[in-house]
Amino acid sequence: MSHAPESQPPESSSSDATASGLGNAPSEIGSKISRSAIIGAIFLMATSAIGPGFITQTATFTAQMGAAFAFAIFVSILIDIAIQLNIWRMVTSSGKRAAQLASSAVPGSGILLSILIVIGGLAFNIGNIAGGGLGLNALLGIDPKLGGLLTGVLAIGIFLFKRAGKVVDTVVLVLGIGMIILTCIVAIVSNPPVGEAIKQSFVPDTINFATVTTIVGGTVGGYITYSGAHRYLDSGKTGPENAGSVMRSALSGIIVTGVMRYVLFLAILGVVASDVALDLDSSVANPAGQAFAAVLGDAGMRIFGAIFWAAALSSVIGAAYTSATFLSAFSKRLEGGWPLQLATVAFIVVSLIVYLVLGTAPATLLVFVGGFNGLILPIGLTIFMYIGWFRPRLLRTDSYPKWLLIIGTAATLVTWYTATQSIGPIFAMIGIGG
């Protein structure tokens, strides 16, 4: 789940403050804004990485692979660390957004990156709307298509009316905490085989490259790769001198998401290990919801539905807005104001129409979009690794840390390999190829 970004804070100068007789107030205000932006960056990355897509992907693959899926989660966390530490540091050190930085290094690459993010963001948003449909189906029992339609229309209304957006942010925060508590309860009650899960994390019985690509794409692919770093720019703490705090913030978000990934996996694994069969293919399939219902009964399914829907609704807005900001690579008018708002609304409308036209089951869509974003992820990573190795001055330094480049390059090579090995199976999820 992810929230609609806040507007960038206005700048204040010390001379203005002195003239107003406010003394040290500007530094205090600036400090509060800075902390808010930093916390927002951590929260945006963490909640984006544990949205309806990841929840459904985890339930689906755990049902299919059992404890062996732990390896894919472990690899996704390692790749997450390598990618996010590099992207956060590069973006904040340069003081430029990802597309601008890419074009500074390789002319035209920012446009390529923007195209990929917009396409990937569209795929994410179709999946988010599908997630909204699944959430309302679990909560109210209505048809997922109707639930998706209501989610899309409501998302547009919330985005256009800012006061409603603030209320939703609060509701989603509360429900997000509720999801963590609920997941922990299910993980304890379902009594998963923890020892086997730990073993399979390092020595799996089987390795499925499509699952690795999908789970990586669903947690750090597409707009998610850049959302936290872009939000951090609002703190004003840019440049190499702030690299330490940037790295700590990125690592905090990664630790939060890593722990939640394993807890969610263990919760589902406990249910699967008890021989409960989860529906993965029907038009109303909601494997994660079924797992929660198996442990907590009908009330568990309803509570899960409310949380899942709120996560999806928030993700629709956040994914559309973040993706739309990349459109400024094509037109300066889309950098803010009404043009950007209209572009965001159009993004949601197109996502909604495609979802309603597609005949694919919502749960399958949520799995596919992770895989699709995992396929395009290595292209953007390659651009940034090139910057780190050969154009460090764009990052306002003569030498970018070699250890970051080594783990970043290793992650990039792994994502290229898993992507090439899983193209067929991923598109086969929606009936393309085989």
Side-chain angles (χ1 to χ4, degrees):
M1 57 184 126
S2 57
H3 303 269
E6 301 171 14
S7 58
Q8 191 153 334
E11 296 179 355
S12 300
S13 67
S14 57
S15 59
D16 291 340
T18 304
S20 303
L22 295 177
N24 294 325
S27 61
E28 294 172 4
I29 294 173
S31 177
K32 290 180 180 179
I33 292 174
S34 176
R35 284 196 300 271
S36 174
I38 292 170
I39 293 172
I42 296 171
F43 189 76
L44 183 58
M45 183 183 76
T47 55
S48 294
I50 314 176
F54 176 78
I55 294 170
T56 303
Q57 292 155 18
T58 298
T60 299
F61 292 136
T62 303
Q64 292 174 344
M65 300 178 64
F69 180 57
F71 177 75
I73 293 182
F74 178 65
V75 171
S76 76
I77 293 173
L78 294 181
I79 293 176
D80 198 358
I81 292 171
I83 292 173
Q84 292 288 12
L85 290 183
N86 274 289
I87 296 299
W88 278 52
R89 180 155 183 160
M90 288 185 181
V91 168
T92 57
S93 291
S94 68
K96 297 178 180 178
R97 295 191 181 275
Q100 295 173 310
L101 179 56
S103 286
S104 297
V106 182
S109 63
I111 293 178
L112 172 63
L113 181 63
S114 296
I115 291 172
L116 293 175
I117 296 301
V118 170
I119 293 174
L122 183 64
F124 258 127
N125 234 24
I126 294 168
N128 288 334
I129 290 173
L134 278 182
L136 287 181
N137 173 260
L139 177 63
L140 304 173
I142 64 177
D143 184 87
K145 289 282 186 182
L146 176 59
L149 175 62
L150 293 174
T151 301
V153 171
L154 185 58
I156 292 172
I158 290 171
F159 179 76
L160 292 177
F161 297 98
K162 302 302 181 185
R163 290 184 180 178
K166 292 180 180 179
V167 172
V168 170
D169 277 351
T170 302
V171 171
V172 169
L173 177 60
V174 172
L175 290 178
I177 295 172
M179 170 62 87
I180 293 173
I181 295 172
L182 194 67
T183 304
C184 289
I185 292 173
V186 173
I188 294 171
V189 176
S190 65
N191 192 29
V194 177
E196 182 65 14
I198 294 174
K199 174 194 168 187
Q200 296 280 348
S201 295
F202 304 99
V203 188
D205 290 338
T206 180
I207 298 176
N208 186 314
F209 290 111
T211 64
V212 174
T213 301
T214 299
I215 210 70
V216 169
T219 56
V220 73
Y223 81 97
I224 296 174
T225 310
Y226 310 99
S227 61
H230 282 185
R231 182 69 180 89
Y232 200 99
L233 288 178
D234 291 345
S235 71
K237 290 190 173 183
T238 59
E241 64 275 13
N242 288 300
S245 61
V246 168
M247 304 284 273
R248 286 191 295 273
S249 297
L251 205 53
S252 298
I254 293 166
I255 290 172
V256 170
T257 59
V259 170
M260 274 307 298
R261 286 174 200 173
Y262 263 109
V263 171
L264 178 63
F265 161 66
L266 289 172
I268 306 295
L269 180 62
V271 174
V272 172
S274 65
D275 295 326
V276 173
L278 301 181
D279 175 16
L280 304 178
D281 301 313
S282 75
S283 62
V284 294
N286 190 345
Q290 287 177 289
F292 278 70
V295 175
L296 302 176
D298 185 63
M301 172 68 94
R302 304 293 178 185
I303 296 171
F304 173 85
I307 294 171
F308 196 79
W309 176 70
L313 177 65
S314 179
S315 292
V316 169
I317 300 169
Y321 184 90
T322 306
S323 300
T325 59
F326 275 85
L327 293 174
S328 62
F330 307 99
S331 173
K332 293 293 184 183
R333 288 188 300 174
L334 294 173
E335 288 185 345
W338 275 104
L340 178 59
Q341 288 191 322
L342 291 176
T344 305
V345 170
F347 205 87
I348 298 175
V349 170
V350 171
S351 304
L352 179 57
I353 292 173
V354 174
Y355 165 67
L356 294 174
V357 170
L358 284 175
T360 307
T364 303
L365 269 178
L366 281 166
V367 177
F368 168 75
V369 297
F372 180 79
N373 277 281
L375 294 178
I376 65 176
L377 174 63
I379 300 174
L381 296 182
T382 301
I383 296 173
F384 283 91
M385 287 303 100
Y386 167 78
I387 293 172
W389 281 111
F390 303 108
R391 302 295 302 277
R393 291 197 174 183
L394 291 174
L395 310 177
R396 298 191 243 177
T397 180
D398 290 327
S399 179
Y400 188 77
K402 290 295 185 291
W403 70 272
L404 277 177
L405 287 174
I406 291 171
I407 65 171
T409 301
T412 302
L413 292 174
V414 170
T415 56
W416 272 116
Y417 181 75
T418 58
T420 57
Q421 294 295 310
S422 54
I423 292 175
I426 285 173
F427 278 97
M429 294 176 188
I430 56 172
I432 298 177

